[in-house]
Amino acid sequence: MFSMRRAGSGSERRALRLMRRALSFEGLRSGPGHIHIHGHRGARGILPENTIDGFRFTLDIGIRIIELDLLATSDGTPVVTHNPHLMPYSTRSENGNWLDGVGPRIVDSTPHALSKFDVGGLRPGTDYARRYPEQAFMSGIAIPNFDAVCDLINEPENRDAWLNVEIKSDPRHPENTPPVRDYVESVLAVIFDNGIDDRIILQSFDWRILHECARKAPDIPRSYLTYAPKPDAPMADNIYEESPWMDGLSLAAHDNNLPALIAAGGGQVWSPYHEDLNAEDLASARAKNLVVNVWTVNEPRDIDRMIDLNVDGIITDYPGRVQRQLLARGLTWQPDESLVSV
Ligand code: MG
């Protein structure tokens, strides 16, 4: 039995007599007429983050790159969630009650225990809920296993989709994740078992993770996430001398040129916070052949600035906004060559 949505979208695609072809890594660069959109945690501004419903929505509106976060459960299963603990502003227990405070750690939970929690809505009145006033409220939504997201992008209409997979790890809190080698191995096992290694970017703020990825799966591109030190930063910066996040690499040893450092470290992608990026650094990254994907760009003026700079990818909680702003300027979010006649 077909749902209306599936029947509708399928017949439209057949009528177009077009199909999308998965891009190669080189296709992830911006080009004449296009800048890529990465749906951050799916489309966090619109639907619950890091959920299958959010990812499916993002794919259904034509976005071909999904950004998501991974952690691991007590048995090492990679699961799609952002924080080391279940958070009270987004988690209800089996009886429907909001968590009183910070909940169990992901790494202490079995997949079965995690599956009992509902992450389909934001708790009214919390700061986090105020940040995403348009996010839909759903119930009965579990944290997905990474495997389930791989199944989603292996559905026939999504076989061109890429995943920008962030492996969450904090070198200051190693107790929140398995040992680096085991952790990376478990993530790569899911990727290879699902045959999607040619549609993956692996990203992390913790460059120890990326260097282990390079050792185990050198052909999968790696994206170096960066957040420069700044006053009153709402989260940990990771780029400074002797930073535990940088796996022993030194910015000073590369004339304080971050793109040069990333290229020397073996990265193919640089993913800076959007306010940290200027034209000079972007040119420097291009000279090193890096793809540049900026996070997390939600405000219209910031989206416009990133379009003006001509970054390769815009990671956003509001993919629809970026679509509209690209279209308003005669641009799109996927290269023409990704569409082929059938
Ligand atoms: Mg992320």
Side-chain angles (χ1 to χ4, degrees):
M1 193 168 143
F2 298 99
S3 72
M4 289 301 288
R5 187 189 61 75
R6 283 187 169 280
S9 61
S11 62
E12 281 160 28
R13 290 198 177 97
R14 276 192 296 280
L16 281 168
R17 299 193 63 76
L18 289 170
M19 62 175 284
R20 298 196 193 92
R21 178 168 57 197
L23 297 167
S24 68
F25 173 72
E26 286 303 312
L28 299 182
R29 299 181 192 279
S30 62
H34 74 271
I35 290 175
H36 293 282
I37 300 175
H38 298 230
H40 186 242
R41 310 188 196 177
R44 175 170 57 168
I46 306 298
L47 282 176
E49 68 184 62
N50 284 324
T51 61
I52 293 295
D53 297 80
F55 298 143
R56 190 180 287 287
F57 166 82
T58 306
L59 293 166
D60 281 352
I61 63 170
I63 304 303
R64 306 327 290 164
I65 310 170
I66 300 285
E67 194 274 351
L68 58 86
D69 304 294
L70 294 184
L71 281 161
T73 58
S74 58
D75 66 355
T77 303
V79 292
V80 185
T81 190
H82 183 272
N83 293 76
H85 295 79
L86 290 168
M87 301 308 284
Y89 53 70
S90 58
T91 315
R92 283 164 282 167
S93 58
E94 206 172 357
N95 58 16
N97 294 333
W98 295 103
L99 297 187
D100 280 338
V102 168
R105 276 197 313 180
I106 306 301
V107 75
D108 295 330
S109 307
T110 64
H112 179 73
L114 266 192
S115 72
K116 303 287 186 191
F117 291 97
D118 188 340
V119 293
L122 298 179
R123 184 171 188 168
T126 61
D127 287 345
Y128 201 72
R130 274 190 284 276
R131 274 173 65 186
Y132 304 102
E134 295 156 55
Q135 192 189 94
F137 191 94
M138 303 171 75
S139 292
I141 306 295
I143 289 173
N145 287 353
F146 183 34
D147 213 34
V149 185
C150 300
D151 286 345
L152 177 65
I153 69 153
N154 271 335
E155 290 180 3
E157 65 266 40
N158 295 328
R159 283 189 172 268
D160 62 322
W162 278 66
L163 299 178
N164 190 359
V165 176
E166 182 180 353
I167 303 177
K168 300 304 290 186
S169 174
D170 184 337
R172 304 164 308 167
H173 294 286
E175 70 279 9
N176 287 338
T177 45
V180 169
R181 285 188 169 199
D182 299 344
Y183 192 15
V184 167
E185 189 155 302
S186 66
V187 172
L188 291 175
V190 174
I191 290 170
F192 284 110
D193 285 352
N194 283 282
I196 57 168
D197 50 299
D198 57 348
R199 294 186 283 146
I200 294 286
I201 301 167
L202 294 166
Q203 51 168 347
S204 192
F205 286 99
D206 183 351
W207 297 0
R208 300 174 309 154
I209 294 281
L210 298 179
H211 295 158
E212 180 63 11
C213 291
R215 207 174 67 79
K216 291 244 176 64
D219 294 336
I220 300 183
R222 296 167 300 280
S223 176
Y224 285 57
L225 282 159
T226 67
Y227 187 58
K230 50 184 72 64
D232 304 319
M235 56 172 272
D237 51 56
N238 70 331
I239 305 301
Y240 50 91
E241 288 309 302
E242 311 282 330
S243 163
W245 301 84
M246 293 165 67
D247 196 25
L249 294 177
S250 162
L251 199 50
H254 292 82
D255 292 332
N256 287 313
N257 183 319
L258 190 47
L261 173 68
I262 290 167
Q268 297 88 353
V269 183
W270 176 29
S271 196
Y273 177 57
H274 68 92
E275 288 182 12
D276 293 342
L277 183 69
N278 58 38
E280 189 186 349
D281 288 339
L282 182 63
S284 178
R286 290 262 155 78
K288 294 291 181 189
N289 215 27
L290 298 177
V291 168
V292 178
N293 299 326
V294 284
W295 59 274
T296 298
V297 194
N298 291 339
E299 296 307 317
R301 68 176 182 283
D302 296 327
I303 294 168
D304 266 333
R305 191 174 85 86
M306 293 301 112
I307 296 173
D308 287 339
L309 281 174
N310 188 31
V311 298
D312 296 297
I314 295 175
I315 302 172
T316 180
D317 291 317
Y318 296 91
R321 281 188 197 170
V322 183
Q323 285 179 315
R324 297 282 298 273
Q325 284 183 238
L326 287 169
L327 290 171
R329 299 169 61 155
L331 300 168
T332 183
W333 51 94
Q334 56 187 358
D336 287 345
E337 61 264 33
S338 68
L339 293 170
V340 291
S341 297
V342 291

